[in-house]
Amino acid sequence: MKLIGNEDFVKIVELAKNRLPFPHSLLYGPSGSGKTTLAKFIANSTHQEINIYYAPEIDPVLLTMMIRNVEKNNIIIIDEIHALNQKMMEQIYQPIEEGIFQGIPLDPFTLIGVTTDLNKLPDALIRRFRLVYRVSLYSVEELSQVIHGLSKKDISGDAVESIAMFSRGSPGVARNHIELIEIMFGNNIDVEEIEEYQKLKHIDNLGLEDIDREYLKAVNNFGVLALSTLSSVLSEREKTIEEIIEPFLFRSGLAIKTSKGRILTPKGKGYIRWKSQKI
């Protein structure tokens, strides 16, 4: 399994993969950045079986089953681990730290937590993970490599780079774009087809879509906006704003979060002025 991007993480895994069980790990970062792919990379590199669970679907009975039944050196992945309730979070302290669950010794195993919201995890849980790694969004060059690997059609190099530029640094976003583009245009995709796709999807070369522009306009109009107010103005859930919209806007230097609320940077204000001049 060849992994693109996150080179430091790959080196850590390469150095630790033969010292089983692999250390308990916590991977966090924006939605679509490839956190679950990195978790699977650990399993692939260590040649261990994995069981993947989605935290909102885990109840106390399932938690007990998944921990008691894990086999030696195998891997449990809990996606969106921050969605576990506090009691269940506390129940995994001892298995991680001491290898004991409900008084019963466990075979050595690896727990990998994946989350888009590190702030919702208690410090006591975070400290128990030996490897805590922030998964970064991808560069245009890295995403171009990802797109080449995903593409099933004949796509020109310039077209691949264009897709990478408006994919918001996210392998997940890039995958969605390329699959739809191939459905719409078939074989022999070049820059002209990509430009047509952008027009139809209202995506500019920065990767901003309608909802991003609405966000920037709202903050620009009010000067500063609290998350709750922004949620009402955009008619979007706060979670969607924090996990889907804002990571790319913050990373792009268009907006920032302050103690008083969200504000635009000079770059963000310049973008709004530029868009208003084009209309």
Side-chain angles (χ1 to χ4, degrees):
M1 180 181 183
K2 178 176 173 55
L3 196 68
I4 297 170
N6 294 285
E7 294 178 358
D8 291 340
F9 178 84
V10 172
K11 290 178 182 177
I12 291 170
V13 174
E14 287 297 315
L15 290 169
K17 67 181 182 181
N18 295 321
R19 297 173 178 84
L20 300 179
F22 192 87
H24 299 297
S25 304
L26 179 63
L27 308 180
Y28 70 100
S31 178
S33 57
K35 299 179 296 299
T36 304
T37 298
L38 295 190
K40 292 178 180 178
F41 176 75
I42 293 174
N44 184 271
S45 298
T46 57
H47 306 290
Q48 299 302 314
E49 292 186 8
I50 59 172
N51 290 290
I52 303 176
Y53 301 92
Y54 184 50
E57 298 174 355
I58 298 175
D59 59 22
V61 174
L62 178 57
L63 182 68
T64 298
M65 182 200 74
M66 55 193 261
I67 293 180
R68 283 188 177 177
N69 294 340
V70 65
E71 296 183 5
K72 184 177 180 180
N73 294 334
N74 283 181
I75 296 173
I76 294 173
I77 298 175
I78 301 181
D79 198 2
E80 299 298 344
I81 191 172
H82 63 267
L84 291 176
N85 65 42
Q86 183 176 349
K87 186 174 181 180
M88 285 194 287
M89 284 188 189
E90 292 173 353
Q91 283 185 297
I92 63 177
Y93 288 1
Q94 196 172 30
I96 295 177
E97 194 162 51
E98 301 175 27
I100 297 172
F101 183 69
Q102 298 176 344
I104 300 174
L106 303 169
D107 285 331
F109 75 102
T110 300
L111 176 66
I112 302 177
V114 177
T115 180
T116 53
D117 197 340
L118 190 69
N119 292 330
K120 290 184 178 178
L121 293 178
D123 289 341
L125 177 57
I126 295 172
R127 287 197 303 269
R128 285 171 165 81
F129 288 101
R130 297 297 175 263
L131 171 59
V132 179
Y133 186 84
R134 184 183 185 279
V135 182
S136 301
L137 293 171
Y138 283 43
S139 68
V140 170
E141 292 75 16
E142 290 169 341
L143 274 185
S144 295
Q145 294 180 57
V146 171
I147 293 166
H148 274 298
L150 291 171
S151 174
K152 299 179 178 65
K153 308 291 183 180
D154 184 13
I155 303 182
S156 73
D158 288 342
V160 167
E161 185 175 353
S162 294
I163 297 169
M165 287 178 65
F166 61 72
S167 290
R168 305 170 70 91
S170 165
V173 172
R175 181 186 62 247
N176 291 340
H177 282 320
I178 193 63
E179 288 180 355
L180 184 54
I181 287 168
E182 290 181 344
I183 290 171
M184 292 169 61
F185 298 105
N187 296 315
N188 302 318
I189 299 168
D190 209 334
V191 173
E192 290 77 11
E193 285 76 24
I194 303 306
E195 290 176 350
E196 177 67 13
Y197 176 79
Q198 287 182 255
K199 290 178 183 177
L200 293 170
K201 289 275 288 176
H202 302 166
I203 305 169
D204 65 23
N205 288 334
L206 291 179
L208 272 61
E209 303 182 18
D210 286 338
I211 187 60
D212 304 304
R213 288 184 283 272
E214 289 176 20
Y215 176 108
L216 295 174
K217 288 178 183 177
V219 176
N220 185 63
N221 289 338
F222 286 91
V224 58
L225 274 181
L227 178 60
S228 57
T229 307
L230 193 53
S231 175
S232 298
V233 171
L234 299 179
S235 298
E236 292 283 356
R237 295 184 305 160
E238 293 184 10
K239 182 177 180 180
T240 299
I241 293 172
E242 289 187 300
E243 296 182 5
I244 305 297
I245 300 172
E246 289 186 330
F248 183 69
L249 294 178
F250 291 166
R251 180 174 182 256
S252 299
L254 297 168
I256 58 174
K257 179 169 62 175
T258 71
S259 58
K260 294 182 179 179
R262 277 66 174 169
I263 63 173
L264 295 193
T265 64
K267 182 178 179 180
K269 293 176 181 178
Y271 176 86
I272 292 295
R273 287 195 298 271
W274 174 72
K275 290 299 294 184
S276 64
Q277 290 169 3
K278 292 192 67 176
I279 296 175

